[in-house]
Amino acid sequence: MLCTTCGTRPAASADGQCAVCAPVSPAPPYGPMAPGRSFSGLRSPVGLGRATVALLWAVVATDVIALAAGANLRRVYPGPDGGSFYDLATANRAEAFYGVAGGLQTVAMPATVVLFIIWFHRVRLNAEVFDAGLQPMRPGWAIGAWFIPVANFWLPHRIAIGVWTASARTGTENGRRTVSKVPLDLWWGVWVVSTLFTWVASKYYAYEQEELAPGREAVTLVMAADALDIVAAALAIVFVRKLTRMQGERASLGPAPLSSVSPAGPASV
């Protein structure tokens, strides 16, 4: 039975609508499974996705606090023409506030990274069930790829593309909807730029601190890095929510027949 609304996808709800046309909120994240390849390996990413989004919002909040602390400190530090602090007590308070903001970032970021990678591994395992032939690397690389210097600037993106494509299947006839990868590509591009820029800014700020001559330029550079991190975190929220929802919609349609699944297995690396 085809969807009573679009007429192209299999019906997935009691009123005859597919998972895309039916309201998302009443639908269970993983509905009844159709006959065919086993979906027993699926595990819902919804809980992990929500927790990851919550921590990403925490990253945004700490970055906003750091921006405010940086703006306050920038007013205290001398400009390019030199000069001394106009008030030592004010400078000490500004630096203390900046240190607290940095401490909050230090707590929020690692926790978010760990949970994001756990969620990423979960959706990669689900993609193995949806269509193993679309996956360029084995599931373990969804974790390991993040810890390989230099290669971690493109390997996780390669894995994410396979997960995204497998999650876009919409029917048991091996059909696929057109789902733009813009949320994925935009987040990844900004994340790479933000990561590199933050590294440069932190190195420059540390150098200034060692020289005992911190100035507005160093603080401004770190503030720019914080602003970029806010954009990257916001785009990561969009990516996590979108992919989590796509996997719920895909799973609710049930497995594709064995004959429609690509015979090629996941490539080993």
Side-chain angles (χ1 to χ4, degrees), residues 54-70:
L55 283 182
L56 284 166
W57 278 118
V59 169
V60 171
T62 58
D63 284 340
V64 170
I65 294 173
L67 279 174

Side-chain angles (χ1 to χ4, degrees), residues 233-265:
L235 292 173
I237 290 171
V238 174
F239 168 64
V240 171
R241 294 182 64 181
K242 178 67 175 177
L243 184 53
T244 300
R245 179 174 175 175
M246 284 171 59
Q247 290 211 333
E249 292 173 349
R250 170 64 191 95
S252 69
L253 293 174
L258 284 171
S259 59
S260 69
V261 179
S262 171

Side-chain angles (χ1 to χ4, degrees), residues 85-109:
F85 295 123
Y86 65 88
D87 184 83
L88 184 58
T90 301
N92 288 337
R93 286 194 298 269
E95 289 179 339
F97 180 29
Y98 198 58
V100 170
L104 292 175
Q105 289 177 305
T106 302
V107 171
M109 183 58 74

Side-chain angles (χ1 to χ4, degrees), residues 14 44 123:
S44 173
V123 295

Side-chain angles (χ1 to χ4, degrees), residues 131-144:
D131 195 332
L134 289 171
Q135 309 312 311
M137 305 175 72
R138 295 191 181 278
W141 284 99
I143 297 175

Side-chain angles (χ1 to χ4, degrees), residues 1 3-4 10-19 21-23 27-28 252-253:
M1 176 182 176
C3 175
T4 56
S13 63
D15 59 358
Q17 290 182 307
C18 67
C21 297
S252 69
L253 293 174

Side-chain angles (χ1 to χ4, degrees), residues 29-79:
Y30 290 92
M33 298 305 163
R37 186 162 51 92
S38 173
F39 262 30
S40 60
L42 285 179
R43 295 182 64 191
S44 173
V46 173
L48 282 174
R50 289 174 178 169
T52 302
V53 167
L55 283 182
L56 284 166
W57 278 118
V59 169
V60 171
T62 58
D63 284 340
V64 170
I65 294 173
L67 279 174
N72 184 48
L73 187 61
R74 190 176 181 278
R75 287 193 297 268
V76 172
Y77 280 165

